[in-house]
Amino acid sequence: MRCCIAPLLLAGLMVTQAKAAGAPEPLNSPAPVWTRADVRSLKTPIQFRHGDTSWLRGLALQAGWKESQLKKLRYIILRESGGCPNVRGGDKVDKNCKVTGVSEWNHRSDTGLMQINGVHWKQDHAQYHGLVCKRMKVCDQDKLLDPLTNLKAGRLLFEVAGWSPWFTN
């Protein structure tokens, strides 16, 4: 679940390693049936399952992505989070996207569907100066666990840097 090009990766590692040195974070994951803030207006709540992105088109278009970008977006989401909106970097999940443990603690600032890195949402980070925080007023990790908010943040990063934050081919 690496989402940054070389300089960003190094910066992200430095921040997350500092956080990882502290006490382990609790495994509090949102409910598998998504009813958080921005997606409450949907007629049918989304049932997220690992490896399933059947919900992606509607939510991605609502977040501002274009139809022509959905194939690559789907690839990134499956690679980064497996389609589970409630994951932080290093989380292990079951088939219903329930967090079951942590495989590693070095990327805990990576968040949600697109694994938005802390270099983008932490307002005091040296690189990018908290782009997502400043432009969207999303300055803490928990807000990025909302799938629509995460897709909007990913769209903002895409507008600024293309696909490079996810280092894809």
Side-chain angles (χ1 to χ4, degrees):
M1 290 187 197
R2 307 304 168 257
C3 68
C4 299
I5 54 181
L8 295 178
L9 182 58
L10 180 58
L13 283 173
M14 290 170 31
V15 170
T16 54
Q17 283 175 343
K19 186 174 182 178
E25 295 177 24
L27 299 176
N28 296 333
S29 63
V33 175
W34 214 259
T35 57
R36 290 179 63 132
D38 287 337
V39 293
R40 285 187 188 153
S41 63
L42 297 176
K43 291 178 184 174
T44 306
I46 298 171
Q47 178 75 42
F48 289 96
R49 295 180 59 83
H50 189 268
D52 175 31
T53 57
S54 58
W55 50 265
L56 180 61
R57 184 178 184 276
L59 205 56
L61 294 175
Q62 187 178 347
W65 291 92
K66 296 184 170 100
E67 189 82 41
S68 62
Q69 299 164 330
L70 295 183
K71 183 177 179 183
K72 192 154 199 170
L73 182 62
R74 178 173 280 109
Y75 167 78
I76 288 169
I77 288 170
L78 286 172
R79 188 189 70 192
E80 296 289 341
S81 66
C84 296
N86 56 324
V87 297
R88 299 169 201 250
D91 279 349
K92 295 188 289 185
V93 297
D94 66 14
K95 67 181 180 177
N96 294 313
C97 293
K98 183 176 187 277
V99 176
T100 60
V102 178
S103 62
E104 55 94 3
W105 293 92
N106 290 335
H107 297 92
R108 296 303 284 166
S109 74
D110 298 354
T111 310
L113 289 171
M114 299 189 74
Q115 290 293 280
I116 306 297
N117 192 279
V119 301
H120 303 295
W121 60 263
K122 290 182 179 182
Q123 63 184 345
D124 59 350
H125 199 280
Q127 252 179 325
Y128 286 93
H129 308 289
L131 180 69
V132 171
C133 177
K134 288 185 177 142
R135 294 222 190 143
M136 293 179 59
K137 306 296 184 227
V138 174
C139 306
D140 68 71
Q141 191 173 28
D142 286 343
K143 290 178 183 173
L144 286 168
L145 294 172
D146 177 81
L148 184 57
T149 302
N150 194 277
L151 286 168
K152 287 178 179 181
R155 178 70 188 158
L156 171 62
L157 295 177
F158 175 79
E159 289 170 3
V160 171
W163 296 112
S164 66
W166 298 276
F167 200 65
T168 61
N169 295 327

